[in-house]
Amino acid sequence: MEFKWHILIGFITSYILVYFFEFPIFAGVIIFIASWIIDLDHYFWYALETKDWNPFHAIRWYIKTNPKWLALTPDARKKFKYGIFIYHSLLLWIILIMLSSIHPVFLWILIGIGIHMVADLIDLNLLDEPLYVKIFPCYTIRKNKNKKSLTIL
């Protein structure tokens, strides 16, 4: 899903939680930030894959490559590696659940990530993409063996 949609969905959901469900404003801000900052792992994946740490190059690459990716059929996409997104992983959710018993800020982060992930999983489903790509990075690494790098698109 495009970054702008995550910002919009995160803002609207945070606003609803604060206005209608009486969440503290600080919680709303944390939920909003967590709902889109999770996508930093896309940048880290790009940087590690290309050895290019310039964030502007990553944005330019995404803008150029995403339409090409979406134009591929689901079968054609299977020939390429999927990104490894550690901040989207189930392991992070489990860690945040455990930390939530220590301080509510971790619960707010978890809610923000949950908002993000619901949007991502709906988007993956609509694009006929496998759901494991965003949830299980170890499995994605295994499935990526002997596939072409997406950076060549």
Side-chain angles (χ1 to χ4, degrees), residues 1-3 5-6 9 35-36 38-39 41-42 62 85 87-89 93 113-131 133-135:
M1 176 171 286
E2 289 186 33
F3 187 68
W5 296 116
H6 282 302
I9 292 167
S35 72
W36 54 266
I38 180 179
D39 271 341
D41 59 5
H42 290 263
Y62 174 79
F85 306 121
Y87 296 155
H88 289 71
S89 74
W93 304 354
I113 289 174
I115 292 164
H116 181 99
M117 289 305 298
V118 167
D120 267 1
L121 295 176
I122 290 169
D123 191 48
L124 286 173
N125 192 39
L126 292 173
L127 293 172
D128 200 23
E129 297 276 0
L131 300 181
V133 172
K134 293 283 178 119
I135 302 172

Side-chain angles (χ1 to χ4, degrees), residues 11-86:
F11 178 78
I12 291 170
T13 308
S14 298
Y15 181 81
I16 289 169
L17 291 173
V18 170
Y19 189 76
F20 293 108
F21 295 95
E22 300 179 9
F23 273 60
I25 291 188
F26 182 66
V29 170
I30 296 295
I31 291 167
F32 169 65
I33 291 170
S35 72
W36 54 266
I37 204 162
I38 180 179
D39 271 341
L40 271 175
D41 59 5
H42 290 263
Y43 163 70
F44 291 133
W45 172 77
Y46 167 84
L48 291 170
E49 188 77 13
T50 63
K51 312 293 187 265
D52 178 3
W53 291 89
N54 186 324
F56 298 108
H57 292 172
I59 293 166
R60 190 176 319 124
W61 175 84
Y62 174 79
I63 290 169
K64 182 179 127 190
T65 305
N66 196 48
K68 292 178 185 179
W69 176 256
L70 295 175
L72 295 173
T73 65
D75 284 335
R77 291 181 197 151
K78 290 177 184 174
K79 296 176 184 174
F80 291 93
K81 290 180 182 180
Y82 284 100
I84 309 301
F85 306 121
I86 57 169

